[in-house]
Amino acid sequence: MKKITMQELLPFIEEAFVNNKTFTIPITGTSMRPLLICGRDTVTLKRCTEKLKKGDLPLYRRKDGTFVLHRIVGFDKNGNYIMCGDNQFLKEYKIEDSQIIGVVTEITRNGKTFSVD
């Protein structure tokens, strides 16, 4: 079975958001362990309609094109986001609102769905 990339999914995510719908994606990677585990968990995203807050889990696109789901751990003096994976210690700086694709509203684990609110 062909693996679908985030780049290929992006138009479908954007279409869902335009129609005020959510979009669910599986977790890949290890940067958000132990909260999110590859092969076990999925997250449901919604379009961002306001400034995100510390603790939120946005899906964003780095300037190099990489898609990342990390936690907001703070803000710089210009109001840009500071991000870090729960399983990482290096913070990522200068993430702008324009890079944010969506924010996690729900986590599904072993068939049970949990709100992040």
Side-chain angles (χ1 to χ4, degrees):
M1 179 188 283
K2 180 183 184 266
K3 185 176 180 180
I4 299 172
T5 66
M6 282 301 301
Q7 181 63 40
E8 293 169 312
L9 278 180
L10 188 58
F12 298 101
I13 295 170
E14 291 171 337
E15 181 180 346
F17 292 170
V18 165
N19 292 304
N20 294 317
K21 299 199 181 296
T22 59
F23 198 90
T24 301
I25 58 172
I27 294 301
T28 61
T30 60
S31 67
M32 286 301 294
R33 289 179 74 95
L35 175 66
L36 302 173
I37 296 181
C38 176
R40 180 189 75 182
D41 301 331
T42 62
V43 294
T44 300
L45 304 165
K46 72 172 186 175
R47 175 182 11 190
C48 298
T49 56
E50 55 192 45
K51 184 76 173 172
L52 298 176
K53 61 189 181 313
K54 187 176 179 180
D56 283 343
L57 300 171
L59 174 68
Y60 62 99
R61 192 173 196 172
R62 290 180 174 146
K63 304 255 183 195
D64 70 2
T66 307
F67 293 90
V68 183
L69 181 77
H70 280 171
R71 185 178 306 280
I72 297 172
V73 296
F75 301 89
D76 67 19
K77 64 182 179 180
N78 297 316
N80 294 319
Y81 300 104
I82 302 170
M83 307 283 195
C84 193
D86 290 357
N87 193 31
Q88 298 182 321
F89 59 90
L90 292 176
K91 295 177 183 172
E92 187 171 358
Y93 296 87
K94 297 182 181 178
I95 305 301
E96 302 170 358
D97 282 313
S98 62
Q99 293 174 257
I100 305 294
I101 296 164
V103 64
V104 173
T105 60
E106 296 177 333
I107 297 168
T108 301
R109 174 176 301 142
N110 298 323
K112 291 190 175 191
T113 300
F114 307 91
S115 172
V116 298
D117 289 335

